[in-house]
Amino acid sequence: MEASVILPILKKKLAFLSGGKDRRSGLILTIPLCLEQTNMDELSVTLDYLLSIPSEKCKARGFTVIVDGRKSQWNVVKTVVLMLQNVVPAEVSLVCVVKPDEFWDKKVTHFCFWKEKDRLGFEVILVSANKLTRYIEPCQLTEDFGGSLTYDHMDWLNKRLVFEKFTKESTSLLDELALINNGSDKGNQQEKERSVDLNFLPSVDPETVLQTGHELLSELQQRRFNGSDGGVSWSPMDDELLAQPQVMKLLDSLREQYTRYQEVCRQRSKRTQLEEIQQKVMQVVNWLEGPGSEQLRAQWGIGDSIRASQALQQKHEEIESQHSEWFAVYVELNQQIAALLNAGDEEDLVELKSLQQQLSDVCYRQASQLEFRQNLLQAALEFHGVAQDLSQQLDGLLGMLCVDVAPADGASIQQTLKLLEEKLKSVDVGLQGLREKGQGLLDQISNQASWAYGKDVTIENKENVDHIQGVMEDMQLRKQRCEDMVDVRRLKMLQMVQLFKCEEDAAQAVEWLSELLDALLKTHIRLGDDAQETKVLLEKHRKFVDVAQSTYDYGRQLLQATVVLCQSLRCSSRSSGDTLPRLNRVWKQFTIASEERVHRLEMAIAFHSNAEKILQDCPEEPEAINDEEQFEEIEAVGKSLLDRLTVPVVYPDGTEQYFGSPSDMASTAEHIRDRMKLVSLKRQQLRHPEMVTTES
């Protein structure tokens, strides 16, 4: 019987064990009767429960029952005493009926308990409360009977509930733990698994039960079960009642079984964890070697353009994302396996290391394949990027070559030619870069068979290789065609540069010839003071004419070269319509002026030579000097020369041009006139010598 079942009855305090003892060390059972009618059935249940608490040894000492009838009627007291005969006849040694003062004196004669001792089996005495100490020590009596023993019924009842709950839970827990522990020790693995699975979790928490037991034991050891904090008091759950030893025994058994249970749980947890790890490892391995590898096998192309390579990269990133989830599981499993390996259980080391090695091999191989594929696609993207840039450069160069060159001058041609050379050089660099990228990509593709899991990738690789080589060959051909066109364009542009140079030099020759003509008219005006000086001037003039002739010839040659270049370039000659007429016109003007200059110098030489002959005293040849014809000739030449100085140079277009300024011409004419005067004077002297003598 448990206190929790009859808790409402026990709370009524129909009877109780206060913990006190009689002089024979028997327990004292107190039955406090009240004014209200006592329910005998409930009292009987209470007595049965209370009498089940002490041990057999304690029961053998007998009980002293105190029936407190001070607040009850005699009939009730008598019924209770008679009921004791049926409930606890063997355990009761003495029944003390506490009577009220002077209330039952006349009635006791009707029923003498002492005469019924043999029939009842125990002695019954009527005693006043103040005389109860004759049979029981005051320290063993509660305060209701004038004793010093403290008793709190509700505190006792609560502690009793705790004790019974602990006893019940610990006993049940011991049975469950024993079943679990014994099941774990069985040799048959299948039976072991079944037993552990059915009883793996106890119905109550062992930690909670142990804590409750320790708290209860602490209460018992402090002798506070009945609520007293000190003094000499006895508890019905003291050593004699087997409370403390029972609790200690249960705690010891619980600790032993719980320790075994923890080891079983640890082993089971380790086995479960190992099985879970093994299951997860196989899931990772099966996925990576199955669907994961199939995804990589299906992705073998590299694309034929930047957009296609980018699409393949995006697809590969999706594959990597799926693999990342399994790689995260791999990292977690690897940590769990490492933790189990550090635990150092010899029996699991080999299996754990095997799982770890298998998992690492598969994951590393798959990660290497993903990285290889990513690098391959990146290399393909870079290759197509370089190919696209090179194609654009070739298109730009070809467009530049297809446009006809119509520059304004040689400088612009030089600039265009420089730009053309730079573009061609850029194409060379781009093609070299394409070859390097292509060769690197081919090297990577050649290594693709190493992770193909036995799959023949020769056909797929051949398509990729053919595409790469085709792109490089196409770019090489396009570049060669552009180079050929650049060579033609370079030659044409160089000819155009030469054409512009010839035109510029021809124009410069015209300018030089114009400057020579201008110098001839403005600075070549002196005719000399004598024949010798005039001859020197004539010689200088001829050299001057030679320079002009060379300049004219140089200009003619340049203009002829421009005609040839224009014919080669299939363009009209701009110089023949402008520079050549100018050159011819200036040269004609220079020729007319030069001839006029020669005539004047030659006349001056003749004039000065004849004049000097006459003016010199030459007695050896008087007949020559006296020749009248010479004087007339000199005078005629002098006059002709003076007349010629006043006549301008007339060009074919009708324009006129004078040598020097009027003052320059006047000075030259004055010098000639002076010489003519001297000649005239000489003539007179020769005609009339007497005139000369008279004048002398």
Side-chain angles (χ1 to χ4, degrees):
M1 185 180 298
E2 297 179 0
S4 59
V5 178
I6 58 173
L7 183 59
I9 299 176
L10 294 177
K11 286 183 178 181
K12 294 180 180 181
K13 197 180 179 182
L14 299 178
F16 63 88
L17 291 169
S18 64
K21 298 180 181 179
D22 57 18
R23 290 187 175 91
R24 298 188 308 277
S25 296
L27 294 177
I28 298 175
L29 175 63
T30 304
I31 303 175
L33 301 176
C34 56
L35 295 176
E36 299 177 358
Q37 185 67 31
T38 301
N39 189 321
M40 293 304 164
D41 293 336
E42 293 180 353
L43 178 59
S44 177
V45 172
T46 302
L47 291 176
D48 289 341
Y49 175 75
L50 293 177
L51 293 176
S52 66
I53 295 176
S55 63
E56 295 299 327
K57 181 180 179 181
C58 195
K59 290 179 182 180
R61 299 192 190 111
F63 289 89
T64 295
V65 181
I66 300 177
V67 180
D68 188 1
R70 290 176 294 178
K71 297 180 181 181
S72 182
Q73 299 177 0
W74 165 251
N75 292 335
V76 176
V77 173
K78 181 175 66 174
T79 302
V80 170
V81 172
L82 294 176
M83 185 185 66
L84 291 175
Q85 179 185 6
N86 299 324
V87 178
V88 285
E91 288 83 358
V92 177
S93 58
L94 176 65
V95 177
C96 296
V97 179
V98 181
K99 64 178 181 176
D101 297 338
E102 299 180 355
F103 185 71
W104 289 340
D105 291 345
K106 295 181 180 180
K107 296 181 180 180
V108 295
T109 57
H110 297 285
F111 184 81
C112 295
F113 287 108
W114 62 275
K115 294 180 180 180
E116 302 293 332
K117 179 179 179 182
D118 295 336
R119 185 171 65 85
L120 293 174
F122 49 79
E123 181 183 0
V124 180
I125 61 173
L126 298 174
V127 63
S128 300
N130 54 4
K131 295 180 180 180
L132 193 59
T133 56
R134 294 178 183 179
Y135 308 97
I136 302 172
E137 296 295 334
C139 64
Q140 301 299 321
L141 294 173
T142 61
E143 295 177 355
D144 294 337
F145 304 109
S148 59
L149 181 62
T150 302
Y151 174 73
D152 185 344
H153 184 69
M154 292 307 298
D155 182 68
W156 171 84
L157 183 57
N158 292 332
K159 296 298 188 296
R160 187 65 191 176
L161 290 172
V162 173
F163 172 75
E164 289 185 355
K165 180 182 178 182
F166 168 72
T167 303
K168 179 181 179 181
E169 290 181 350
S170 60
T171 302
S172 174
L173 182 60
L174 281 173
D175 293 340
E176 294 175 358
L177 293 178
L179 181 61
I180 295 173
N181 296 336
N182 293 334
S184 65
D185 294 335
K186 292 181 180 180
N188 190 315
Q189 183 67 22
Q190 183 177 0
E191 185 178 353
K192 169 184 174 181
E193 293 293 336
R194 182 171 62 253
S195 175
V196 173
D197 289 341
L198 293 175
N199 304 278
F200 190 76
L201 294 177
S203 58
V204 293
D205 182 22
E207 294 287 348
T208 304
V209 176
L210 284 171
Q211 182 179 358
T212 303
H214 285 298
E215 293 175 354
L216 179 59
L217 182 61
S218 177
E219 290 282 349
L220 294 175
Q221 290 174 345
Q222 295 177 7
R223 307 177 66 82
R224 293 178 57 192
F225 185 85
N226 59 355
S228 64
D229 295 331
V232 183
S233 61
W234 299 91
S235 170
M237 295 175 62
D238 210 343
D239 293 339
E240 291 79 3
L241 301 179
L242 296 179
Q244 182 172 333
Q246 186 176 358
V247 172
M248 293 178 64
K249 183 178 180 181
L250 288 172
L251 285 175
D252 291 341
S253 299
L254 274 177
R255 280 192 289 268
E256 180 183 357
Q257 291 293 336
Y258 185 53
T259 301
R260 292 181 59 193
Y261 169 74
Q262 287 179 319
E263 179 63 21
V264 171
C265 291
R266 190 185 70 82
Q267 293 293 336
R268 176 59 181 171
S269 175
K270 184 179 68 174
R271 173 51 55 183
T272 302
Q273 186 178 9
L274 187 59
E275 292 176 353
E276 291 178 353
I277 289 176
Q278 186 176 12
Q279 183 180 5
K280 290 182 179 179
V281 167
M282 294 312 301
Q283 288 178 353
V284 174
V285 170
N286 292 336
W287 190 91
L288 291 179
E289 291 183 344
S293 297
E294 287 298 328
Q295 289 178 349
L296 285 177
R297 291 191 189 102
Q299 299 294 317
W300 54 266
I302 61 173
D304 56 0
S305 63
I306 293 180
R307 181 175 298 179
S309 296
Q310 289 175 341
L312 290 174
Q313 271 192 333
Q314 184 176 1
K315 179 63 178 178
H316 183 72
E317 289 175 357
E318 295 175 359
I319 296 176
E320 282 185 333
S321 178
Q322 296 180 20
H323 279 74
S324 297
E325 299 176 0
W326 292 97
F327 288 154
V329 177
Y330 156 71
V331 173
E332 181 180 356
L333 288 174
N334 199 35
Q335 293 175 350
Q336 294 177 4
I337 294 174
L340 291 177
L341 289 174
N342 292 332
D345 293 336
E346 296 293 336
E347 57 188 27
D348 299 328
L349 285 179
V350 176
E351 184 176 1
L352 286 172
K353 288 183 178 179
S354 176
L355 287 174
Q356 188 181 42
Q357 187 64 40
Q358 181 184 11
L359 183 63
S360 297
D361 291 344
V362 174
C363 288
Y364 282 136
R365 183 169 61 248
Q366 199 75 358
S368 299
Q369 296 167 12
L370 288 171
E371 183 180 5
F372 179 87
R373 176 64 179 169
Q374 177 62 34
N375 294 337
L376 182 67
L377 290 177
Q378 183 62 35
L381 181 63
E382 293 176 358
F383 173 77
H384 289 124
V386 174
Q388 179 174 296
D389 293 341
L390 179 58
S391 178
Q392 293 175 352
Q393 292 178 2
L394 288 171
D395 290 341
L397 180 58
L398 183 61
M400 184 176 178
L401 293 171
C402 291
V403 177
D404 193 15
V405 180
D409 52 29
S412 62
I413 294 180
Q414 292 284 1
Q415 185 66 27
T416 304
L417 185 59
K418 180 180 179 182
L419 180 60
L420 197 63
E421 296 291 347
E422 290 177 352
K423 284 185 174 293
L424 185 60
K425 183 178 180 181
S426 178
V427 168
D428 288 335
V429 174
L431 183 60
Q432 182 62 31
L434 181 67
R435 289 169 178 167
E436 293 176 357
K437 294 292 183 181
Q439 187 59 48
L441 187 56
L442 290 174
D443 293 340
Q444 285 184 302
I445 291 176
S446 65
N447 296 328
Q448 187 175 7
S450 62
W451 52 268
Y453 288 108
K455 179 183 178 182
D456 187 7
V457 295
T458 305
I459 298 177
E460 291 84 350
N461 283 344
K462 186 176 185 304
E463 292 181 6
N464 294 333
V465 170
D466 291 344
H467 168 69
I468 296 170
Q469 292 177 346
V471 170
M472 291 192 294
E473 291 174 358
D474 179 63
M475 292 300 172
Q476 177 64 38
L477 291 175
R478 292 178 61 187
K479 188 250 186 182
Q480 186 62 48
R481 288 195 296 269
C482 287
E483 281 184 341
D484 295 341
M485 295 179 68
V486 167
D487 291 339
V488 175
R489 178 57 59 88
R490 184 188 296 112
L491 178 60
K492 182 177 181 180
M493 296 182 75
L494 290 176
Q495 288 178 341
M496 294 187 70
V497 171
Q498 188 176 4
L499 172 62
F500 278 108
K501 182 64 176 174
C502 290
E503 290 180 346
E504 292 175 359
D505 291 348
Q508 184 65 48
V510 173
E511 294 295 327
W512 289 343
L513 196 58
S514 298
E515 292 175 359
L516 291 175
L517 175 60
D518 188 62
L520 175 62
L521 294 173
K522 292 182 179 180
T523 61
H524 292 208
I525 55 178
R526 294 185 69 253
L527 298 178
D529 295 336
D530 52 31
Q532 184 63 34
E533 183 179 0
T534 304
K535 291 179 181 179
V536 171
L537 289 175
L538 180 60
E539 184 64 27
K540 288 182 178 181
H541 177 71
R542 287 172 178 167
K543 293 180 178 180
F544 183 75
V545 171
D546 291 340
V547 172
Q549 182 69 49
S550 299
T551 302
Y552 172 72
D553 293 341
Y554 176 66
R556 290 282 297 183
Q557 293 173 0
L558 290 174
L559 291 176
Q560 290 176 356
T562 58
V563 173
V564 175
L565 289 173
C566 286
Q567 291 175 351
S568 176
L569 294 173
R570 297 180 181 178
C571 64
S572 60
S573 175
R574 298 172 295 177
S575 301
S576 60
D578 182 16
T579 309
L580 182 59
R582 287 175 53 216
L583 179 66
N584 291 331
R585 183 176 62 253
V586 174
W587 175 247
K588 186 64 176 178
Q589 292 174 351
F590 183 86
T591 303
I592 294 173
S594 175
E595 290 176 352
E596 179 63 23
R597 173 68 171 167
V598 170
H599 289 320
R600 291 184 181 187
L601 288 174
E602 288 177 347
M603 291 177 67
I605 291 173
F607 172 75
H608 286 300
S609 296
N610 293 328
E612 288 175 358
K613 289 179 180 180
I614 293 174
L615 293 177
Q616 290 177 356
D617 292 331
C618 298
E620 303 87 13
E621 301 177 359
E623 66 281 356
I625 298 176
N626 293 327
D627 190 354
E628 186 66 25
E629 293 180 358
Q630 291 183 357
F631 286 103
E632 291 179 358
E633 182 180 356
I634 292 173
E635 184 176 358
V637 172
K639 289 180 179 180
S640 297
L641 184 58
L642 289 175
D643 293 337
R644 202 168 190 104
L645 290 177
T646 59
V647 176
V649 178
V650 181
Y651 297 143
D653 56 359
T655 58
E656 297 179 353
Q657 185 68 40
Y658 289 92
F659 280 93
S661 62
S663 59
D664 294 334
M665 292 296 99
S667 176
T668 302
E670 184 64 26
H671 178 71
I672 294 173
R673 290 189 184 97
D674 291 341
R675 179 59 65 92
M676 290 177 67
K677 288 180 180 180
L678 291 176
V679 171
S680 178
L681 181 61
K682 186 69 174 177
R683 181 180 183 182
Q684 291 177 3
Q685 289 177 355
L686 292 175
R687 285 180 178 178
H688 306 284
E690 66 280 2
M691 294 179 60
V692 177
T693 305
T694 304
E695 290 177 359
S696 302

